[in-house]
């Protein structure tokens, strides 16, 4: 999974803004638990993507809880599209050899 | 949960992650751990989270140190040019003696080299080439030392040769000492980042 974390995090935010726990939850649900990552490491990764201009974030208050919500930037969407295409080509190539 | 947060705080401090980023990670971690009962078990080792945070923070810390250092080097224009130009009394000679002229030129040339190397260090830190940035900082520090040393000797000799220039000497040497301390602080900060980054597990 290491090396694909950025793509996975960007992809989880494709449908809308989420806080860190929401990102982890969505990643777990959509992968049906296949990605067993140390959840705490998601936060430095989100910060790194934000520093790279691929995500934007802000603090929000909901139901008395202060949470930082992340969303894709325009650059983030472009990067997600690029990485998704790369991944699909790679997966197709592997599949054609293996099957 | 509080034990895990306290450990995370210690680990972040140990790898040099401080200030706003540390507060932010701790706040997000706390929110995460409160989200469900199993979150503590799935959070992962605080050391690992701190190391990942450090990998993000260190390049920025190095860039900040390089920027501060470059700004300090630029301010050396004051003892080298600004202060003497504005406070020295008229010199008693029509042509400046050679023993002062060469020191002036060497100090100025060394300062220009120091400034160029500092700018290169900022650029290299910006594009995340830490080894290159540190090498450029080292070169700049050597050149700055030459500029400060030769310039200071020249300033003392000038004071001997030109009556009434004692104030300029005091101001120039004072500024050189203060800026030298600031430059040393910025370099020490960059060196600290290098050591912290070196000690991170690969």
């Amino acid at each position: 999974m290491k090396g694909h974390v950025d793509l996975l995090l960007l992809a989880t935010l494709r449908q809308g803004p989420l806080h860190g726990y929401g990102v982890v939850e969505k990643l777990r649900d959509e992968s049906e638990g296949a990605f067993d990552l140390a959840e705490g490491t998601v936060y430095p990764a989100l910060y790194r993507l934000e520093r790279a201009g691929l995500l934007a974030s802000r603090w929000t208050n909901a139901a008395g809880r202060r949470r930082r919500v992340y969303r894709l930037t325009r650059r983030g969407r472009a990067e997600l599209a690029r990485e998704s295409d790369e991944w699909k080509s790679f997966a197709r190539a592997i599949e054609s050899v293996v099957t | 949960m509080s034990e895990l947060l306290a450990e995370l705080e210690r680990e972040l401090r140990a790898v040099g992650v401080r200030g706003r980023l540390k507060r932010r990670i701790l706040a997000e971690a706390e929110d995460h751990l409160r989200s469900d009962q199993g979150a503590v078990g799935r959070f992962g080792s605080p050391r690992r989270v701190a190391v990942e945070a450090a990998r993000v923070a260190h390049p920025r810390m190095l860039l900040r140190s390089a920027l501060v250092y470059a700004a300090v080097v630029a301010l050396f224009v004051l003892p080298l040019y600004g202060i003497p130009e504005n406070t020295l009394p008229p010199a008693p000679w029509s042509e400046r003696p050679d023993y002062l002229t060469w020191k002036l030129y060497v100090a100025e040339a060394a300062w220009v080299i120091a400034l160029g190397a500092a700018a290169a260090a900022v650029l290299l830190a910006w594009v995340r080439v830490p080894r290159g940035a540190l090498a450029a900082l080292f070169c700049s520090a050597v050149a700055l030392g030459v500029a400060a040393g030769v310039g200071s000797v020249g300033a003392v000799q000038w004071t001997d040769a030109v009556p009434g220039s004692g104030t300029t000497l005091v101001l120039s040497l004072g500024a050189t000492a203060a800026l030298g301390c600031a430059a040393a602080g910025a370099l020490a900060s960059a060196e600290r980042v290098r050591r912290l980054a070196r000690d991170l597990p690969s």
Side-chain angles (χ1 to χ4, degrees), chain B residues 31-49:
Chain B
D31 175 64
H32 187 99
L33 296 170
R34 283 184 198 284
S35 296
D36 75 64
Q37 290 195 335
V40 172
R42 296 192 310 269
F43 190 78
S45 114
R47 170 76 181 159
R48 194 169 154 201
V49 176

Side-chain angles (χ1 to χ4, degrees), chain B residues 128-148:
Chain B
R128 304 204 169 178
V129 185
R131 279 168 191 260
L134 288 159
L137 283 175
F138 176 76
C139 292
S140 176
V142 171
L144 191 64
V146 171

Side-chain angles (χ1 to χ4, degrees), chain A residues 61-66:
Chain A
N61 276 302
R65 289 179 75 161
R66 194 163 171 262

Side-chain angles (χ1 to χ4, degrees), chain A:
Chain A
M1 185 177 158
K2 201 170 166 69
H4 302 297
V5 171
D6 291 5
L7 171 60
L8 291 169
L9 292 178
L10 293 174
T12 55
L13 290 161
R14 183 171 32 205
Q15 283 161 8
L18 285 170
H19 48 76
Y21 182 78
V23 169
V24 170
E25 212 174 19
K26 191 169 184 197
L27 194 56
R28 196 189 317 129
D29 290 348
E30 292 192 348
S31 70
E32 295 172 350
F35 299 133
D36 182 23
L37 81 167
E39 294 179 0
T41 58
V42 162
Y43 294 98
L46 289 170
Y47 178 71
R48 178 168 46 75
L49 291 171
E50 188 181 344
R51 292 297 329 158
L54 305 180
L55 298 181
S57 74
R58 64 187 175 89
W59 288 108
T60 59
N61 276 302
R65 289 179 75 161
R66 194 163 171 262
R67 299 183 126 168
R68 197 162 187 100
V69 171
Y70 294 86
R71 66 172 174 81
L72 280 178
T73 60
R74 192 181 299 183
R75 266 182 69 193
R77 285 193 186 282
E79 181 65 14
L80 173 60
R82 193 188 64 76
E83 285 195 31
S84 296
D85 287 347
E86 264 181 27
W87 172 255
K88 283 172 193 163
S89 305
F90 177 72
R92 266 198 307 271
I94 293 282
E95 197 177 358
S96 63
V97 172
V98 170
T99 57

Side-chain angles (χ1 to χ4, degrees), chain B residues 36-132:
Chain B
D36 75 64
Q37 290 195 335
V40 172
R42 296 192 310 269
F43 190 78
S45 114
R47 170 76 181 159
R48 194 169 154 201
V49 176
V51 166
E52 292 299 323
R55 289 192 208 288
V56 184
H58 287 169
R60 285 183 60 74
M61 289 159 67
L62 180 61
L63 177 60
R64 200 178 312 134
S65 300
L67 277 168
V68 169
Y69 175 81
V72 172
V73 173
L75 284 174
F76 265 89
V77 73
L78 294 174
L80 283 173
Y81 180 77
I83 294 171
E85 190 65 21
N86 290 292
T87 60
L88 274 177
W93 49 69
S94 55
E95 197 171 328
R96 193 167 48 212
D98 284 347
Y99 73 95
L100 291 174
T101 300
W102 76 259
K103 289 186 185 79
L104 191 68
Y105 288 156
V106 167
E108 284 176 357
W111 175 69
V112 169
I113 291 168
L115 194 58
V122 170
L123 192 66
L124 289 164
W126 176 264
V127 297
R128 304 204 169 178
V129 185
R131 279 168 191 260

Side-chain angles (χ1 to χ4, degrees), chain B residues 7 13 34 130:
Chain B
E7 195 182 340
R13 203 158 9 104
R34 283 184 198 284

